[in-house]
Amino acid sequence: MKTRPTTQLVPHTVDGKTRMVPVHVDAPAPPRDWDRFVLNGVTGIAAIVLTASVVWSTASIGDLLAHAVIEPAAYGAAVVFDLAWIACMAVEWLARYDEDRAALPRWAGHVMLVLAMLAVGAHGKVAGYWEIGLIGAAVSALAKGLWTVVLRHQTPPLDERTRAWIQGELADAGASLALIPVRRQLQRAQGQVDAERAAIASADRGSADPDRPDESADDPDADIIGIRPGAVTTKDAVRIAWDSGFRDEQACARYVAKVTGSMPSPDTVKRYLRLLKNAAS
């Protein structure tokens, strides 16, 4: 039986204290997975074929388009033909567990492949070698066909009920993701409403009453600031500014000063903003 060196953690006790220490041992080596070996080889072959297809198509279509535009633009547009159906094939692979979602990229990939093949064939005709055009167009078809076989082999078969269950799970996850921007918009709107109300309340408290007579000598000292029940605190003002979209510390401090009537401590504003950032993350 084949073995291979490996490291295992074993308990070791010294002076009554036990620790897990690494020990080098020879463990049985697992048998070679020939199925995985063959699949990796086929995938490598498919990658080489795909690369050759992109190079050939880009060279052919680029040479065809170079008759009308400069070469950099021609070859830049030529590479789009193969990249388009390759991207559709990748999206089809990502949607392999949902046959309904995979149908559109599969259909679009076939259409884009046909367009690429027609462009390669047109280059052969313009060059005077229609046989080369047909063979070159077949290269793209072979590349996509090989990748389709490889991807279909790696796609696990699912029964109808399992696919329906997966679609339900994806729908629930999609609904949760969709609610995130909605809740963010609601919080932003509510923050703007709270900020507007706080600003109006602050303006009402700071405005003079034209119908009130002049203060008498018995009025409280103007230097003494009375406690106002329900006044907006620095923490509340920072939270309102955060909900309204303020992220800069100086801008937030100016807003807090406007709402509360006094300039807050920069450290206090920074601390409250840090707490809100941690809560949001």
Side-chain angles (χ1 to χ4, degrees):
M1 181 177 60
K2 294 183 179 180
T3 60
R4 64 177 180 180
T6 185
T7 302
Q8 295 181 352
L9 294 178
V10 298
H12 183 66
T13 304
V14 176
D15 196 18
K17 187 174 183 179
T18 303
R19 290 181 179 274
M20 301 298 291
V21 297
V23 176
H24 298 285
V25 297
D26 291 333
R32 182 181 293 275
D33 188 354
W34 289 106
D35 291 344
R36 176 57 58 180
F37 178 79
V38 172
L39 182 60
N40 291 339
V42 172
T43 304
I45 294 173
I48 295 175
V49 172
L50 182 64
T51 304
S53 172
V54 173
V55 172
W56 176 266
S57 298
T58 302
S60 298
I61 302 175
D63 186 63
L64 175 65
L65 298 179
H67 290 82
V69 296
I70 59 176
E71 289 190 354
Y75 286 96
V79 75
V80 173
F81 281 83
D82 269 2
L83 292 182
W85 64 261
I86 292 173
C88 290
M89 189 170 56
V91 175
E92 179 186 352
W93 164 254
L94 294 176
R96 61 190 179 276
Y97 299 115
D98 190 343
E99 187 64 25
D100 295 336
R101 295 178 63 191
L104 177 59
R106 182 183 303 116
W107 177 84
H110 292 328
V111 173
M112 295 176 186
L113 173 64
V114 171
L115 294 177
M117 294 174 64
L118 290 176
V120 174
H123 173 259
K125 182 179 180 180
V126 170
Y129 302 98
W130 62 269
E131 300 90 346
I132 296 179
L134 293 178
I135 296 174
V139 173
S140 297
L142 290 173
K144 179 172 175 56
L146 181 57
W147 268 108
T148 300
V149 171
V150 173
L151 297 182
R152 285 296 180 92
H153 175 76
Q154 299 189 52
T155 302
L158 300 175
D159 59 87
E160 190 65 28
R161 292 186 178 183
T162 303
R163 284 197 296 267
W165 185 87
I166 292 177
Q167 290 177 356
E169 289 291 307
L170 291 175
D172 292 342
S176 299
L177 290 175
L179 285 177
I180 293 177
V182 174
R183 288 172 179 157
R184 188 181 296 117
Q185 293 178 3
L186 292 176
Q187 291 176 355
R188 186 181 299 111
Q190 186 61 43
Q192 292 176 352
V193 172
D194 294 341
E196 186 69 20
R197 290 176 177 174
I200 295 175
S202 177
D204 291 342
R205 288 194 299 267
S207 61
D209 188 354
D211 296 333
R212 187 180 62 186
D214 295 337
E215 295 181 354
S216 63
D218 296 335
D219 288 340
D221 191 347
D223 296 333
I224 300 177
I225 302 176
I227 299 177
R228 296 173 303 188
V232 179
T233 63
T234 301
K235 183 177 182 180
D236 293 335
V238 172
R239 180 185 58 80
I240 295 172
W242 173 271
D243 293 338
S244 300
F246 288 89
R247 297 296 183 268
D248 182 70
E249 295 178 6
Q250 296 181 357
C252 186
R254 291 193 298 267
Y255 175 80
V256 173
K258 177 181 178 181
V259 173
T260 61
S262 61
M263 179 60 68
S265 171
D267 294 336
T268 302
V269 175
K270 183 177 181 180
R271 183 173 68 256
Y272 288 149
L273 285 176
R274 184 170 61 252
L275 293 175
L276 292 171
K277 290 179 182 178
N278 295 335
S281 60

